[in-house]
Amino acid sequence: GNSVTQMEGPVTLSEEAFLTINCTYTATGYPSLFWYVQYPGEGLQLLLKATKADDKGSNKGFEATYRKETTSFHLEKGSVQVSDSAVYFCALSLPFSSGSARQLTFGSGTQLTVLP
Amino acid sequence: EAGVVQSPRYKIIEKKQPVAFWCNPISGHNTLYWYLQNLGQGPELLIRYENEEAVDDSQLPKDRFSAERLKGVDSTLKIQPAELGDSAVYLCASSLRSGPNTEAFFGQGTRLTVV
């Protein structure tokens, strides 16, 4: 079956530190890959995505590259800010067997806390 | 543009009582999802609607859970009777049914506590 494995948290960093959150996946077929972020008290928001191998998704200083050979989609940011404190979810999607909507399979999430 | 709206945000009930959650998706989004998010876990799909039709409800515990999406817009998710293990966050999401913009947009969720 399809699954996503994320680096376990919580992760605590000082402001301006480098961030890496590891994500690997198992999937049949060719998934699209996503990072969602959940700020305190808010719903999940799409942070970035990549739809095919070697694509790089980027947004708000975050980046992740779709690595088919290692089945990975690690999230990175060069200099984190206090406002980046949130829970980060890696996810994949594959087409449903019926219809064109795509089913999301999520990892368990990684809590990031950035200290000033 | 308004996002996905869910209500209530929080709900505390005693076990064996019924409870219902409501979701209003983004206008024009034909696909609606209900997800269950347990503490410290990622969301898991409960049911997916294409317009008013439930096309994937394989993960919905049908003995106590039910859902409906009348007129293919708003949706309600019901639990009757609730059990202690149902305490979780219930997320609603919506997406365009076809085309490249199949990104799912999530509501803030309803946090259910069963005591």
Side-chain angles (χ1 to χ4, degrees), chain A residues 14-17 77 79-85 112-115:
Chain A
S14 297
E15 202 164 26
E16 299 184 0
K77 186 174 185 181
S79 176
V80 293
Q81 306 299 313
V82 173
S83 57
D84 294 327
S85 297
L112 169 67
T113 301
V114 180
L115 302 176

Side-chain angles (χ1 to χ4, degrees), chain B residues 56-71:
Chain B
D56 184 359
D57 62 355
S58 57
Q59 302 302 313
L60 191 71
K62 298 180 182 63
D63 57 335
R64 297 183 300 106
F65 286 66
S66 64
E68 62 182 11
R69 190 183 184 197
L70 299 176
K71 301 181 180 179

Side-chain angles (χ1 to χ4, degrees), chain B residues 1 17 36-37 43 48 52 62 66 73 78 96 102:
Chain B
E1 178 181 311
Q17 294 302 305
L36 166 69
Q37 186 178 15
R48 172 174 68 99
E52 67 274 10
K62 298 180 182 63
S66 64
V73 181
K78 299 178 181 178
L96 291 172
T102 52

